[in-house]
Each structure stands twice: as C-alpha cells, then as structure tokens.
Amino acid sequence: MAQSESPTQNKTSDLSESTVDLAKRLQGSEAKIRELTTVNEQLQKEIRDLLVIGEVARSITSTLLIEEVLGEILRGIRETLSLDRVVLGLVHCEGGYEEVKLAIGVANADVKKARWAIEDSDPIWTRLKDQQMPILVDLTSESRLPDFIGTVFSGEFVKAPMIVKGEIIGTIMVSASSRGISPRDMRLLRILVEYAGIAVENGRLYYDVIRSEEELRKTQEQLLEAERLAAIGQLAVSINHEINNPLCTINMRSQLLRLELEQRAPDLIERLDGIEMAVRRIMEVTQRVSKMNKLRSTEYLPNQMMIDLK
C-alpha cells in the first residue's frame, strides 16, 4: 500500500515550483528589459537623426549664402555619421566637368581645385544617373577615377548624387575608415544630400535674382544716360540755332566795320580783334557741345560742379 505525502513534503514541492516559476518570470523580464533597452537606444538614435535633419532644414531657410549652408550640411553629415572625410563637388553642365567646392577632413589643400571630366561612358556616372541614390565605390576595382580620389580616399567610399528636377547638379563623397557604411548611414546620407541639392538650387536662384537686379540697374543707368545725352543733343541744336545765328550776324558786321576802321580809325582795330576773338570762342564752345557723347563734370568751386566742355 503506497504511503501518502506528508504536509511538509507538499509545501516543499509547492515552494520549489514557485521558485522555478519565479525564476522563469525573472528571466523573461530580463529579456524584455534588454529588448526594451535596445528599442530605446534605436529610438534615441532616430531622435538624434531627426534633430540633425531638422537643424539642416533650418540652416537652409536661415540664409541664402550657398557656401555657408553647404558647410553646415557637410559638417552635419560628418558629425552625425561619424565620418572621416566629406567632399562636395558641383557639376558644370556647360563645361562638362565636376569640380570640388568644399571638403572637410581633407589635409590636401589642392583638393578644392580638383576637377574631372564627366563622360557618359563612365560606369560610376552611369550608375548615379540610373539609380539616383548613393552608391558604394571600390577604389581597387575602379580604374577610371580621377587621380585626386586616391589621395583623399582609400578602399571604399560612398558617392551620393545631389538631384534637382531629375538632374544631377553635384555629388557628395564620404568615407569612414574605422568602419563600414551601414544602411542607416546610406539612408541618412540620402536625406541630407537631398537638402544639399535644395540649398544649391536656392543659392543659384538667389544669385540669379541678384544678377538680374544688377543687370536691371545697369540698364536703367544706361537709359538715364541715353536720356541725358538726348537732352544734350536737343540743347546743342537749340544753341546752334539761337546762339550761332546772332554770332554770325555779329561776325559779319564786325568784318564790315573792320573795312571802315582800316581807313578812318586804325587805332580801333585792336578792340575789334577782341570782339571777333570772343565770337570765335563762343562758336567753338557751341561746336564742342554739339559733338558731346558723354557728360564730364569738374569742380570749379567747393561743392559746385560744372560740365567740362574742353
């Protein structure tokens, strides 16, 4: 006949089961805590990324000085992604080349003068046009890269296109020698490069407006100058008509008077010479006025200007 378990044994068994159950719960809680910690860290990274993106967006709207905005964007890319080198190049469509404009983390000062031709047969350029997103470039397998690339990057680097209205207006090249480029890096880089493209386009539009205003100002000045010259031409016609005609009469009368004075009063000829000299001087001035094509002023008294007719 089987012996029944004592109350003490029953309590011990229940306690053991509770302990095991508690241990399992604790293990589950620890796993949940680790999972929540990982999620929290990821969220913290996402928040930091969004803050950087927001800061870059604010920098674009705060100023239209293109170099200042691009400098902020490049520094944001380098600090956010913990990159070693960041190089920005702009495409000159008319010249058919790409030229470095900004570089961070690059010791070689000559890199800012680097430029290279853009060819449709270039496989890297073809990939950028087709994919229109950052691509990973391996220096060991690409033989058509510009010479300066080898002095800036080693191994692998990322080349991200700045796209505006479907056209590549430039690229940003980055590398991280201490680690590889992660999918997160590529995602953030793509967003920040889009902002860089917007900044370049805004800057170009701003400078186009400034240039148009300057050209308009010069055109207005030319129109005003043309109006002044037209007024001078009208004045010259009036002078020739209103002044030269009486002068011709004076000159003719003086010639007749000279004939009479040579016989009757030779001593008055010298005075007559002064009159004729004054008439010739006035005629010369009217001729210079009629030939003027540009206004020249000179100061003959303090704060008093006169048109130079010489």
Side-chain angles (χ1 to χ4, degrees), residues 18-60:
S18 299
T19 303
V20 172
D21 185 56
L22 180 60
K24 289 181 179 180
R25 290 183 180 180
L26 287 174
Q27 290 176 355
S29 298
E30 290 175 354
K32 192 66 175 178
I33 290 172
R34 287 194 297 271
E35 181 182 349
L36 290 174
T37 301
T38 302
V39 172
N40 182 61
E41 291 176 352
Q42 292 176 349
L43 289 175
Q44 291 294 331
K45 289 182 179 179
E46 294 290 339
I47 290 173
R48 288 196 295 270
D49 295 344
L50 290 174
L51 289 174
V52 171
I53 293 172
E55 188 62 31
V56 169
R58 281 191 293 274
S59 68
I60 291 178

mmCIF file of all heavy atoms in Angstrom, residues 18-60:
data_model
loop_
_atom_site.group_PDB
_atom_site.id
_atom_site.type_symbol
_atom_site.label_atom_id
_atom_site.label_comp_id
_atom_site.label_asym_id
_atom_site.label_seq_id
_atom_site.Cartn_x
_atom_site.Cartn_y
_atom_site.Cartn_z
ATOM 1 N N SER A 18 7.131 27.181 -7.225
ATOM 2 C CA SER A 18 7.021 28.646 -7.230
ATOM 3 C C SER A 18 8.355 29.303 -7.537
ATOM 4 O O SER A 18 8.443 30.306 -8.258
ATOM 5 C CB SER A 18 6.496 29.132 -5.868
ATOM 6 O OG SER A 18 5.213 28.599 -5.606
ATOM 7 N N THR A 19 9.418 28.726 -6.974
ATOM 8 C CA THR A 19 10.759 29.269 -7.210
ATOM 9 C C THR A 19 11.137 29.165 -8.685
ATOM 10 O O THR A 19 11.678 30.099 -9.293
ATOM 11 C CB THR A 19 11.799 28.540 -6.343
ATOM 12 O OG1 THR A 19 11.421 28.655 -4.968
ATOM 13 C CG2 THR A 19 13.186 29.118 -6.553
ATOM 14 N N VAL A 20 10.857 27.987 -9.265
ATOM 15 C CA VAL A 20 11.162 27.793 -10.692
ATOM 16 C C VAL A 20 10.353 28.757 -11.547
ATOM 17 O O VAL A 20 10.851 29.375 -12.492
ATOM 18 C CB VAL A 20 10.877 26.333 -11.089
ATOM 19 C CG1 VAL A 20 10.991 26.172 -12.609
ATOM 20 C CG2 VAL A 20 11.844 25.401 -10.391
ATOM 21 N N ASP A 21 9.066 28.888 -11.188
ATOM 22 C CA ASP A 21 8.198 29.799 -11.939
ATOM 23 C C ASP A 21 8.674 31.242 -11.834
ATOM 24 O O ASP A 21 8.689 31.994 -12.814
ATOM 25 C CB ASP A 21 6.771 29.667 -11.409
ATOM 26 C CG ASP A 21 5.791 30.498 -12.219
ATOM 27 O OD1 ASP A 21 5.728 30.308 -13.453
ATOM 28 O OD2 ASP A 21 5.106 31.353 -11.617
ATOM 29 N N LEU A 22 9.090 31.620 -10.625
ATOM 30 C CA LEU A 22 9.605 32.979 -10.407
ATOM 31 C C LEU A 22 10.883 33.216 -11.196
ATOM 32 O O LEU A 22 11.084 34.286 -11.787
ATOM 33 C CB LEU A 22 9.849 33.211 -8.903
ATOM 34 C CG LEU A 22 10.390 34.596 -8.515
ATOM 35 C CD1 LEU A 22 9.415 35.691 -8.956
ATOM 36 C CD2 LEU A 22 10.646 34.659 -7.015
ATOM 37 N N ALA A 23 11.739 32.192 -11.218
ATOM 38 C CA ALA A 23 12.990 32.318 -11.973
ATOM 39 C C ALA A 23 12.706 32.502 -13.460
ATOM 40 O O ALA A 23 13.347 33.315 -14.145
ATOM 41 C CB ALA A 23 13.867 31.078 -11.739
ATOM 42 N N LYS A 24 11.738 31.721 -13.963
ATOM 43 C CA LYS A 24 11.378 31.877 -15.376
ATOM 44 C C LYS A 24 10.834 33.272 -15.656
ATOM 45 O O LYS A 24 11.123 33.879 -16.688
ATOM 46 C CB LYS A 24 10.339 30.820 -15.747
ATOM 47 C CG LYS A 24 10.895 29.407 -15.801
ATOM 48 C CD LYS A 24 9.809 28.412 -16.197
ATOM 49 C CE LYS A 24 10.355 26.993 -16.280
ATOM 50 N NZ LYS A 24 9.295 26.013 -16.657
ATOM 51 N N ARG A 25 10.017 33.768 -14.737
ATOM 52 C CA ARG A 25 9.463 35.113 -14.924
ATOM 53 C C ARG A 25 10.569 36.172 -14.909
ATOM 54 O O ARG A 25 10.535 37.138 -15.692
ATOM 55 C CB ARG A 25 8.448 35.403 -13.833
ATOM 56 C CG ARG A 25 7.156 34.600 -13.958
ATOM 57 C CD ARG A 25 6.180 34.996 -12.869
ATOM 58 N NE ARG A 25 4.946 34.228 -12.977
ATOM 59 C CZ ARG A 25 3.914 34.372 -12.145
ATOM 60 N NH1 ARG A 25 3.973 35.282 -11.151
ATOM 61 N NH2 ARG A 25 2.820 33.627 -12.305
ATOM 62 N N LEU A 26 11.529 35.948 -13.983
ATOM 63 C CA LEU A 26 12.637 36.910 -13.923
ATOM 64 C C LEU A 26 13.448 36.892 -15.216
ATOM 65 O O LEU A 26 13.865 37.939 -15.714
ATOM 66 C CB LEU A 26 13.531 36.590 -12.724
ATOM 67 C CG LEU A 26 12.957 36.925 -11.350
ATOM 68 C CD1 LEU A 26 13.890 36.421 -10.243
ATOM 69 C CD2 LEU A 26 12.738 38.423 -11.204
ATOM 70 N N GLN A 27 13.695 35.697 -15.745
ATOM 71 C CA GLN A 27 14.428 35.596 -16.998
ATOM 72 C C GLN A 27 13.657 36.288 -18.138
ATOM 73 O O GLN A 27 14.232 36.983 -18.974
ATOM 74 C CB GLN A 27 14.680 34.136 -17.339
ATOM 75 C CG GLN A 27 15.689 33.456 -16.426
ATOM 76 C CD GLN A 27 15.844 31.970 -16.745
ATOM 77 O OE1 GLN A 27 15.132 31.423 -17.593
ATOM 78 N NE2 GLN A 27 16.778 31.322 -16.068
ATOM 79 N N GLY A 28 12.335 36.065 -18.139
ATOM 80 C CA GLY A 28 11.518 36.724 -19.157
ATOM 81 C C GLY A 28 11.537 38.228 -19.022
ATOM 82 O O GLY A 28 11.582 38.959 -20.011
ATOM 83 N N SER A 29 11.530 38.704 -17.768
ATOM 84 C CA SER A 29 11.579 40.156 -17.538
ATOM 85 C C SER A 29 12.916 40.743 -17.993
ATOM 86 O O SER A 29 12.967 41.821 -18.588
ATOM 87 C CB SER A 29 11.345 40.461 -16.060
ATOM 88 O OG SER A 29 10.063 40.017 -15.649
ATOM 89 N N GLU A 30 14.006 40.001 -17.683
ATOM 90 C CA GLU A 30 15.325 40.479 -18.093
ATOM 91 C C GLU A 30 15.427 40.556 -19.619
ATOM 92 O O GLU A 30 15.979 41.509 -20.178
ATOM 93 C CB GLU A 30 16.401 39.551 -17.526
ATOM 94 C CG GLU A 30 16.561 39.656 -16.015
ATOM 95 C CD GLU A 30 17.551 38.643 -15.466
ATOM 96 O OE1 GLU A 30 18.015 37.797 -16.267
ATOM 97 O OE2 GLU A 30 17.855 38.699 -14.264
ATOM 98 N N ALA A 31 14.877 39.536 -20.293
ATOM 99 C CA ALA A 31 14.892 39.549 -21.755
ATOM 100 C C ALA A 31 14.064 40.714 -22.290
ATOM 101 O O ALA A 31 14.443 41.373 -23.263
ATOM 102 C CB ALA A 31 14.356 38.219 -22.289
ATOM 103 N N LYS A 32 12.915 40.970 -21.629
ATOM 104 C CA LYS A 32 12.072 42.077 -22.044
ATOM 105 C C LYS A 32 12.769 43.418 -21.820
ATOM 106 O O LYS A 32 12.689 44.327 -22.655
ATOM 107 C CB LYS A 32 10.765 42.046 -21.245
ATOM 108 C CG LYS A 32 9.684 42.967 -21.782
ATOM 109 C CD LYS A 32 9.218 42.528 -23.146
ATOM 110 C CE LYS A 32 8.045 43.368 -23.624
ATOM 111 N NZ LYS A 32 7.594 42.982 -24.983
ATOM 112 N N ILE A 33 13.484 43.511 -20.682
ATOM 113 C CA ILE A 33 14.226 44.743 -20.394
ATOM 114 C C ILE A 33 15.302 44.976 -21.442
ATOM 115 O O ILE A 33 15.510 46.096 -21.917
ATOM 116 C CB ILE A 33 14.830 44.677 -18.976
ATOM 117 C CG1 ILE A 33 13.707 44.756 -17.932
ATOM 118 C CG2 ILE A 33 15.846 45.798 -18.768
ATOM 119 C CD1 ILE A 33 14.177 44.502 -16.512
ATOM 120 N N ARG A 34 16.033 43.882 -21.803
ATOM 121 C CA ARG A 34 17.067 44.023 -22.828
ATOM 122 C C ARG A 34 16.459 44.438 -24.158
ATOM 123 O O ARG A 34 17.008 45.267 -24.885
ATOM 124 C CB ARG A 34 17.823 42.696 -22.976
ATOM 125 C CG ARG A 34 18.768 42.388 -21.827
ATOM 126 C CD ARG A 34 19.722 41.254 -22.193
ATOM 127 N NE ARG A 34 19.005 40.000 -22.443
ATOM 128 C CZ ARG A 34 18.716 39.100 -21.516
ATOM 129 N NH1 ARG A 34 19.095 39.321 -20.239
ATOM 130 N NH2 ARG A 34 18.090 37.989 -21.808
ATOM 131 N N GLU A 35 15.308 43.856 -24.472
ATOM 132 C CA GLU A 35 14.633 44.210 -25.712
ATOM 133 C C GLU A 35 14.191 45.667 -25.707
ATOM 134 O O GLU A 35 14.385 46.399 -26.679
ATOM 135 C CB GLU A 35 13.416 43.303 -25.908
ATOM 136 C CG GLU A 35 12.656 43.580 -27.207
ATOM 137 C CD GLU A 35 11.434 42.693 -27.330
ATOM 138 O OE1 GLU A 35 11.283 41.735 -26.537
ATOM 139 O OE2 GLU A 35 10.606 42.967 -28.232
ATOM 140 N N LEU A 36 13.623 46.113 -24.572
ATOM 141 C CA LEU A 36 13.193 47.500 -24.454
ATOM 142 C C LEU A 36 14.384 48.453 -24.494
ATOM 143 O O LEU A 36 14.301 49.550 -25.045
ATOM 144 C CB LEU A 36 12.399 47.696 -23.162
ATOM 145 C CG LEU A 36 11.016 47.034 -23.124
ATOM 146 C CD1 LEU A 36 10.400 47.181 -21.726
ATOM 147 C CD2 LEU A 36 10.096 47.632 -24.180
ATOM 148 N N THR A 37 15.499 48.013 -23.876
ATOM 149 C CA THR A 37 16.713 48.842 -23.899
ATOM 150 C C THR A 37 17.212 49.028 -25.327
ATOM 151 O O THR A 37 17.600 50.132 -25.734
ATOM 152 C CB THR A 37 17.805 48.198 -23.033
ATOM 153 O OG1 THR A 37 17.325 48.064 -21.695
ATOM 154 C CG2 THR A 37 19.065 49.051 -23.051
ATOM 155 N N THR A 38 17.203 47.934 -26.094
ATOM 156 C CA THR A 38 17.626 48.011 -27.495
ATOM 157 C C THR A 38 16.720 48.933 -28.297
ATOM 158 O O THR A 38 17.174 49.775 -29.079
ATOM 159 C CB THR A 38 17.632 46.609 -28.123
ATOM 160 O OG1 THR A 38 18.500 45.752 -27.376
ATOM 161 C CG2 THR A 38 18.091 46.672 -29.569
ATOM 162 N N VAL A 39 15.403 48.785 -28.084
ATOM 163 C CA VAL A 39 14.443 49.642 -28.781
ATOM 164 C C VAL A 39 14.647 51.097 -28.380
ATOM 165 O O VAL A 39 14.590 52.010 -29.227
ATOM 166 C CB VAL A 39 13.001 49.196 -28.474
ATOM 167 C CG1 VAL A 39 12.005 50.200 -29.030
ATOM 168 C CG2 VAL A 39 12.735 47.810 -29.044
ATOM 169 N N ASN A 40 14.893 51.324 -27.092
ATOM 170 C CA ASN A 40 15.116 52.691 -26.615
ATOM 171 C C ASN A 40 16.352 53.308 -27.244
ATOM 172 O O ASN A 40 16.346 54.476 -27.646
ATOM 173 C CB ASN A 40 15.239 52.693 -25.089
ATOM 174 C CG ASN A 40 15.425 54.087 -24.525
ATOM 175 O OD1 ASN A 40 14.580 54.953 -24.686
ATOM 176 N ND2 ASN A 40 16.557 54.300 -23.865
ATOM 177 N N GLU A 41 17.417 52.519 -27.348
ATOM 178 C CA GLU A 41 18.637 53.017 -27.979
ATOM 179 C C GLU A 41 18.384 53.354 -29.443
ATOM 180 O O GLU A 41 18.875 54.375 -29.955
ATOM 181 C CB GLU A 41 19.745 51.975 -27.852
ATOM 182 C CG GLU A 41 20.251 51.786 -26.428
ATOM 183 C CD GLU A 41 21.278 50.677 -26.329
ATOM 184 O OE1 GLU A 41 21.468 49.967 -27.348
ATOM 185 O OE2 GLU A 41 21.875 50.510 -25.244
ATOM 186 N N GLN A 42 17.625 52.488 -30.116
ATOM 187 C CA GLN A 42 17.304 52.772 -31.516
ATOM 188 C C GLN A 42 16.470 54.046 -31.651
ATOM 189 O O GLN A 42 16.694 54.855 -32.546
ATOM 190 C CB GLN A 42 16.554 51.581 -32.118
ATOM 191 C CG GLN A 42 17.419 50.335 -32.271
ATOM 192 C CD GLN A 42 16.623 49.145 -32.778
ATOM 193 O OE1 GLN A 42 15.394 49.174 -32.823
ATOM 194 N NE2 GLN A 42 17.328 48.089 -33.163
ATOM 195 N N LEU A 43 15.517 54.213 -30.734
ATOM 196 C CA LEU A 43 14.695 55.422 -30.755
ATOM 197 C C LEU A 43 15.533 56.662 -30.484
ATOM 198 O O LEU A 43 15.318 57.716 -31.095
ATOM 199 C CB LEU A 43 13.566 55.305 -29.732
ATOM 200 C CG LEU A 43 12.450 54.312 -30.064
ATOM 201 C CD1 LEU A 43 11.470 54.207 -28.908
ATOM 202 C CD2 LEU A 43 11.716 54.743 -31.329
ATOM 203 N N GLN A 44 16.477 56.536 -29.554
ATOM 204 C CA GLN A 44 17.361 57.667 -29.257
ATOM 205 C C GLN A 44 18.181 58.045 -30.497
ATOM 206 O O GLN A 44 18.363 59.231 -30.793
ATOM 207 C CB GLN A 44 18.297 57.318 -28.092
ATOM 208 C CG GLN A 44 17.604 57.176 -26.748
ATOM 209 C CD GLN A 44 17.037 58.500 -26.266
ATOM 210 O OE1 GLN A 44 17.537 59.567 -26.578
ATOM 211 N NE2 GLN A 44 15.950 58.416 -25.483
ATOM 212 N N LYS A 45 18.653 57.041 -31.242
ATOM 213 C CA LYS A 45 19.391 57.314 -32.469
ATOM 214 C C LYS A 45 18.492 57.995 -33.493
ATOM 215 O O LYS A 45 18.898 58.943 -34.173
ATOM 216 C CB LYS A 45 19.957 56.018 -33.052
ATOM 217 C CG LYS A 45 21.106 55.422 -32.255
ATOM 218 C CD LYS A 45 21.632 54.162 -32.927
ATOM 219 C CE LYS A 45 22.802 53.577 -32.150
ATOM 220 N NZ LYS A 45 23.307 52.330 -32.784
ATOM 221 N N GLU A 46 17.256 57.488 -33.599
ATOM 222 C CA GLU A 46 16.315 58.091 -34.543
ATOM 223 C C GLU A 46 16.031 59.546 -34.183
ATOM 224 O O GLU A 46 15.955 60.417 -35.055
ATOM 225 C CB GLU A 46 15.005 57.296 -34.563
ATOM 226 C CG GLU A 46 15.124 55.886 -35.116
ATOM 227 C CD GLU A 46 15.381 55.875 -36.606
ATOM 228 O OE1 GLU A 46 15.073 56.888 -37.268
ATOM 229 O OE2 GLU A 46 15.879 54.859 -37.116
ATOM 230 N N ILE A 47 15.895 59.812 -32.889
ATOM 231 C CA ILE A 47 15.640 61.186 -32.435
ATOM 232 C C ILE A 47 16.819 62.093 -32.781
ATOM 233 O O ILE A 47 16.648 63.218 -33.266
ATOM 234 C CB ILE A 47 15.357 61.205 -30.923
ATOM 235 C CG1 ILE A 47 13.995 60.549 -30.637
ATOM 236 C CG2 ILE A 47 15.364 62.643 -30.387
ATOM 237 C CD1 ILE A 47 13.706 60.373 -29.163
ATOM 238 N N ARG A 48 18.042 61.572 -32.510
ATOM 239 C CA ARG A 48 19.237 62.371 -32.847
ATOM 240 C C ARG A 48 19.307 62.628 -34.346
ATOM 241 O O ARG A 48 19.655 63.730 -34.784
ATOM 242 C CB ARG A 48 20.497 61.652 -32.366
ATOM 243 C CG ARG A 48 20.672 61.672 -30.850
ATOM 244 C CD ARG A 48 22.089 61.295 -30.467
ATOM 245 N NE ARG A 48 22.389 59.915 -30.844
ATOM 246 C CZ ARG A 48 22.194 58.859 -30.069
ATOM 247 N NH1 ARG A 48 21.672 59.015 -28.858
ATOM 248 N NH2 ARG A 48 22.514 57.641 -30.482
ATOM 249 N N ASP A 49 18.981 61.612 -35.123
ATOM 250 C CA ASP A 49 18.998 61.781 -36.583
ATOM 251 C C ASP A 49 17.989 62.834 -37.022
ATOM 252 O O ASP A 49 18.281 63.688 -37.866
ATOM 253 C CB ASP A 49 18.696 60.454 -37.271
ATOM 254 C CG ASP A 49 19.780 59.399 -37.029
ATOM 255 O OD1 ASP A 49 20.869 59.800 -36.595
ATOM 256 O OD2 ASP A 49 19.508 58.216 -37.255
ATOM 257 N N LEU A 50 16.787 62.780 -36.433
ATOM 258 C CA LEU A 50 15.756 63.759 -36.791
ATOM 259 C C LEU A 50 16.163 65.165 -36.382
ATOM 260 O O LEU A 50 15.872 66.141 -37.098
ATOM 261 C CB LEU A 50 14.427 63.373 -36.130
ATOM 262 C CG LEU A 50 13.746 62.121 -36.687
ATOM 263 C CD1 LEU A 50 12.528 61.765 -35.844
ATOM 264 C CD2 LEU A 50 13.336 62.324 -38.143
ATOM 265 N N LEU A 51 16.837 65.271 -35.226
ATOM 266 C CA LEU A 51 17.303 66.586 -34.786
ATOM 267 C C LEU A 51 18.319 67.158 -35.771
ATOM 268 O O LEU A 51 18.299 68.353 -36.079
ATOM 269 C CB LEU A 51 17.904 66.490 -33.381
ATOM 270 C CG LEU A 51 16.913 66.254 -32.235
ATOM 271 C CD1 LEU A 51 17.657 66.040 -30.917
ATOM 272 C CD2 LEU A 51 15.946 67.424 -32.105
ATOM 273 N N VAL A 52 19.225 66.295 -36.253
ATOM 274 C CA VAL A 52 20.217 66.751 -37.223
ATOM 275 C C VAL A 52 19.534 67.178 -38.518
ATOM 276 O O VAL A 52 19.843 68.227 -39.094
ATOM 277 C CB VAL A 52 21.246 65.629 -37.502
ATOM 278 C CG1 VAL A 52 22.145 66.023 -38.668
ATOM 279 C CG2 VAL A 52 22.076 65.362 -36.269
ATOM 280 N N ILE A 53 18.593 66.368 -38.973
ATOM 281 C CA ILE A 53 17.864 66.710 -40.201
ATOM 282 C C ILE A 53 17.115 68.026 -40.021
ATOM 283 O O ILE A 53 17.100 68.885 -40.910
ATOM 284 C CB ILE A 53 16.894 65.573 -40.574
ATOM 285 C CG1 ILE A 53 17.689 64.326 -40.966
ATOM 286 C CG2 ILE A 53 15.978 66.002 -41.719
ATOM 287 C CD1 ILE A 53 16.833 63.100 -41.177
ATOM 288 N N GLY A 54 16.483 68.201 -38.848
ATOM 289 C CA GLY A 54 15.785 69.456 -38.578
ATOM 290 C C GLY A 54 16.722 70.645 -38.555
ATOM 291 O O GLY A 54 16.393 71.724 -39.058
ATOM 292 N N GLU A 55 17.908 70.446 -37.982
ATOM 293 C CA GLU A 55 18.890 71.532 -37.926
ATOM 294 C C GLU A 55 19.355 71.905 -39.324
ATOM 295 O O GLU A 55 19.525 73.083 -39.658
ATOM 296 C CB GLU A 55 20.082 71.108 -37.070
ATOM 297 C CG GLU A 55 21.078 72.218 -36.793
ATOM 298 C CD GLU A 55 20.464 73.361 -36.006
ATOM 299 O OE1 GLU A 55 19.548 73.095 -35.189
ATOM 300 O OE2 GLU A 55 20.890 74.507 -36.200
ATOM 301 N N VAL A 56 19.573 70.910 -40.163
ATOM 302 C CA VAL A 56 19.975 71.172 -41.544
ATOM 303 C C VAL A 56 18.873 71.913 -42.286
ATOM 304 O O VAL A 56 19.129 72.864 -43.035
ATOM 305 C CB VAL A 56 20.317 69.848 -42.261
ATOM 306 C CG1 VAL A 56 20.483 70.082 -43.764
ATOM 307 C CG2 VAL A 56 21.584 69.252 -41.686
ATOM 308 N N ALA A 57 17.614 71.495 -42.066
ATOM 309 C CA ALA A 57 16.489 72.178 -42.718
ATOM 310 C C ALA A 57 16.415 73.629 -42.284
ATOM 311 O O ALA A 57 16.155 74.523 -43.100
ATOM 312 C CB ALA A 57 15.185 71.451 -42.390
ATOM 313 N N ARG A 58 16.646 73.896 -40.996
ATOM 314 C CA ARG A 58 16.627 75.286 -40.511
ATOM 315 C C ARG A 58 17.762 76.101 -41.111
ATOM 316 O O ARG A 58 17.612 77.286 -41.411
ATOM 317 C CB ARG A 58 16.699 75.312 -38.985
ATOM 318 C CG ARG A 58 15.380 75.008 -38.293
ATOM 319 C CD ARG A 58 15.451 75.321 -36.815
ATOM 320 N NE ARG A 58 16.363 74.436 -36.119
ATOM 321 C CZ ARG A 58 16.024 73.244 -35.629
ATOM 322 N NH1 ARG A 58 14.788 72.810 -35.765
ATOM 323 N NH2 ARG A 58 16.905 72.487 -35.001
ATOM 324 N N SER A 59 18.929 75.470 -41.277
ATOM 325 C CA SER A 59 20.065 76.194 -41.852
ATOM 326 C C SER A 59 19.779 76.608 -43.292
ATOM 327 O O SER A 59 20.226 77.655 -43.753
ATOM 328 C CB SER A 59 21.329 75.336 -41.791
ATOM 329 O OG SER A 59 21.237 74.220 -42.662
ATOM 330 N N ILE A 60 19.012 75.782 -44.012
ATOM 331 C CA ILE A 60 18.675 76.124 -45.396
ATOM 332 C C ILE A 60 17.776 77.351 -45.448
ATOM 333 O O ILE A 60 17.921 78.222 -46.317
ATOM 334 C CB ILE A 60 18.000 74.920 -46.087
ATOM 335 C CG1 ILE A 60 19.022 73.806 -46.281
ATOM 336 C CG2 ILE A 60 17.390 75.314 -47.422
ATOM 337 C CD1 ILE A 60 18.450 72.559 -46.899
#
